[in-house]
Amino acid sequence: MKLHLQTIFVAVGLGIKRNWHIFIAIIAGIIFGNFIHDNPDNFKKIVYLLNIVGQAFIRIIQMVVIPLVCSAIVVGISSIGDSKQIGKFGKKMIIYYGIITVLAVVIGAALVLGFKPGIGVQEFISQTAALEIQNNVSSALAEQKGNIGNIFLNMIPQNPLESLAKGEMVPIIFFALIFSLALSKVGEISRPIVSFFESVFAATMKITDWIMIFAAPGIFALTTVAVSSFGLSIFSTISKFFAIVFVGFCIQFFIVYPLILKIFSKVPIGTFYTAIIEALLVAFGTASSSATLPLTIACCEKRGISHKVCSFVLPLGATLNMDGTALFQTVCVIFLTQAYGVTLDPIQIIQIMLLVIIASSTCAGIPGAGLITIALVLNGLGLTPQQLVEGFAFLFAIDRVVDMLRTTVNVASDAVVTAVIADNENEIDYDLLNNTDQYKEII
Ligand code: ASP
């Protein structure tokens, strides 16, 4: 019996001590959070304290993200060196991330159009739309309106140092890419600065190792606070909507990614999921792909994928590839039109899918960002302003729970695409990847 259990745990990636801690922290957080939700008055101080612990954990990981992204890109591109190879990696990355996102959007649309979870829920949506949420929502909607052109312009930093200071990921990556390409063209003179970034990268990875010591308490605190705000009873009220989104995520995670790995590479699926399990658990706990990035890089690199590929593909993926978010946004938008009885023609559905692809990839890898960018898609769908605000407020109320799941999906797909590209380019050490025993020593 003992042996059996052990085999099952190893199979799902839980044979490793730290994974166990994080996994148990998540379960305990769900149970305790739900208990607090049912008895809120007795636990106000505890929730306050846990919130501080959870936020401290997220902030401390976020602290290393910007130095890590900059150094990873500089070191990665200069180690690739040859601009033809950079172009090849870049093309593959766009193709694989593209395939995964288009599939996510199609799966989301097929599920929500097939099962129609929005029909009959209009009354519930109006009731849940709390006034205070509506105010936040109105400003979010106003901010996003008609902003596609600006979104593209904002990707180009006017002042890279200002973007660094503000933590704007996309402009930072844009500058880091161009800067690294230039470094790779200027020969020997680039050496001191590349060495500098190599040291920064090594130090930030070391800090990530230290941070992981606090992963279990940090994630326990985050999960407890999140669940205490909505309670598990939320699932019965939004059961059909949630079921559709959940099934969509499962299709991506258990069917699409394994198929992509199988068709385009020889990476063993189960082993690979085991290799990245810490990153997936942290993604679930923090609901932030950006904050998870140091760990995603650590899992992939220390388990056999070359630094060249990880440092180029993962930071871009954590910022631009949001297929879980895209699936969720597609379901949300069509769900709301169903709830308010707006009929969509096929052209409108395709329009929604295209807008979602843009909206999701411009969304930051932080908690709740996917919901704000949805406003971009919701505008102009024939809903009245009142309906827009109410519908958006409804989504706001249930967002955190779905966010934890979609972030896990986002992070998994970043890692899957990285593995496929690494396989195609002979940049995987299969002896290390397949040697799951060695994983115990990592982090
Ligand atoms: N929280 C998600 C992420 O970090 C983004 C979203 O809100 O969809 O990947």
Side-chain angles (χ1 to χ4, degrees):
M1 176 66 186
K2 205 174 157 212
L3 194 71
H4 256 76
L5 272 180
Q6 206 176 357
T7 321
I8 293 168
F9 290 141
V10 169
V12 293
L14 295 172
I16 305 156
K17 221 170 147 213
R18 176 137 308 128
N19 287 343
W20 259 112
H21 292 174
I22 304 175
F23 182 70
I24 291 168
I26 289 175
I27 302 292
I30 292 174
I31 296 170
F32 189 44
N34 189 48
F35 184 71
I36 294 179
H37 179 78
D38 296 339
N39 311 276
D41 294 336
N42 305 336
F43 291 98
K44 277 192 182 128
K45 278 199 185 127
I46 292 192
V47 171
Y48 176 77
L49 280 177
L50 286 175
N51 195 28
I52 291 181
V53 173
Q55 289 310 314
F57 177 66
I58 289 218
R59 288 177 83 117
I60 206 162
I61 319 187
Q62 277 169 341
M63 178 180 85
V64 293
V65 169
I66 289 187
L68 180 72
V69 167
C70 295
S71 57
I73 292 180
V74 173
V75 177
I77 292 198
S78 48
S79 65
I80 302 173
D82 159 25
S83 50
K84 261 199 205 135
Q85 206 183 7
I86 297 173
K88 213 160 118 200
F89 279 14
K91 253 188 246 154
K92 288 205 166 160
M93 194 179 71
I94 294 171
I95 293 173
Y96 289 129
Y97 281 146
I99 295 178
I100 277 185
T101 307
V102 169
L103 285 173
V105 169
V106 170
I107 291 167
L111 286 170
V112 69
L113 290 168
F115 291 98
K116 301 187 175 47
I119 291 186
V121 298
Q122 178 178 355
E123 194 192 334
F124 179 68
I125 288 181
S126 319
Q127 281 167 7
T128 54
L131 217 62
E132 59 205 272
I133 302 183
Q134 287 196 14
N135 292 337
N136 292 341
V137 168
S138 306
S139 50
L141 280 169
E143 236 173 69
Q144 285 288 324
K145 209 163 186 155
N147 252 353
I148 294 196
N150 277 349
I151 286 176
F152 282 113
L153 277 182
N154 288 339
M155 289 181 176
I156 307 170
Q158 272 179 313
N159 174 355
L161 293 181
E162 189 188 344
S163 301
L164 270 181
K166 287 188 179 160
E168 298 164 344
M169 281 307 246
V170 180
I172 292 175
I173 290 185
F174 187 90
F175 179 75
L177 282 174
I178 293 182
F179 183 71
S180 321
L181 274 175
L183 278 178
S184 69
K185 294 283 172 212
V186 295
E188 260 313 291
I189 202 166
S190 65
R191 203 51 236 162
I193 205 144
V194 174
S195 304
F196 167 79
F197 280 111
E198 278 168 357
S199 310
V200 173
F201 183 79
T204 43
M205 290 313 280
K206 187 83 238 150
I207 300 175
T208 307
D209 285 358
W210 293 338
I211 293 171
M212 283 313 290
I213 298 169
F214 304 102
I219 284 174
F220 168 73
L222 285 168
T223 314
T224 307
V225 174
V227 176
S228 72
S229 71
F230 52 78
L232 294 181
S233 53
I234 195 163
F235 293 112
S236 57
T237 46
I238 55 155
S239 56
K240 208 165 169 193
F241 170 83
F242 183 76
I244 299 284
V245 176
F246 187 71
V247 169
F249 289 158
C250 288
I251 295 178
Q252 279 293 91
F253 194 89
F254 293 109
I255 300 177
V256 173
Y257 303 159
L259 276 177
I260 299 249
L261 284 171
K262 188 138 192 77
I263 296 171
F264 298 109
S265 77
K266 46 184 187 310
V267 174
I269 297 150
T271 312
F272 186 65
Y273 277 175
T274 309
I276 58 166
I277 190 79
E278 284 107 330
L280 299 182
L281 292 171
V282 170
F284 183 85
T286 59
S288 167
S289 358
S290 260
T292 312
L293 179 64
L295 203 67
T296 322
I297 294 183
C299 286
C300 290
E301 244 184 76
K302 293 183 180 180
R303 287 159 189 181
I305 300 181
S306 82
H307 177 65
K308 256 189 200 177
V309 177
C310 287
S311 56
F312 182 56
V313 183
L314 284 173
L316 287 168
T319 317
L320 301 173
N321 171 50
M322 302 275 169
D323 60 322
T325 302
L327 192 151
F328 161 77
Q329 291 182 330
T330 311
V331 174
C332 285
V333 172
I334 301 180
F335 169 84
L336 288 184
T337 57
Q338 287 171 348
Y340 288 118
V342 176
T343 329
L344 299 170
D345 57 39
I347 303 281
Q348 274 175 312
I349 293 173
I350 293 172
Q351 232 171 17
I352 291 176
M353 287 157 83
L354 291 175
L355 273 177
V356 159
I357 292 174
I358 299 173
S360 66
S361 58
T362 58
C363 130
I366 53 172
L371 194 61
I372 303 295
T373 50
I374 228 176
L376 190 77
V377 192
L378 276 177
N379 282 316
L381 274 182
L383 303 179
T384 65
Q386 172 68 15
Q387 286 173 335
L388 268 180
V389 171
E390 275 177 7
F392 202 69
F394 168 78
L395 298 175
F396 228 84
I398 57 167
D399 188 52
R400 177 70 192 196
V401 57
V402 196
D403 198 4
M404 292 159 103
L405 291 169
R406 65 181 186 255
T407 308
T408 312
V409 174
N410 290 340
V411 169
S413 68
D414 298 340
V416 163
V417 168
T418 307
V420 172
I421 296 178
D423 171 273
N424 296 175
E425 301 293 321
N426 283 329
E427 294 285 343
I428 296 192
D429 175 351
Y430 275 102
D431 290 339
L432 189 54
L433 181 69
N434 289 324
N435 191 355
T436 41
D437 283 344
Q438 271 207 359
Y439 292 2
K440 284 181 187 164
E441 294 157 19
I442 292 172
I443 302 178

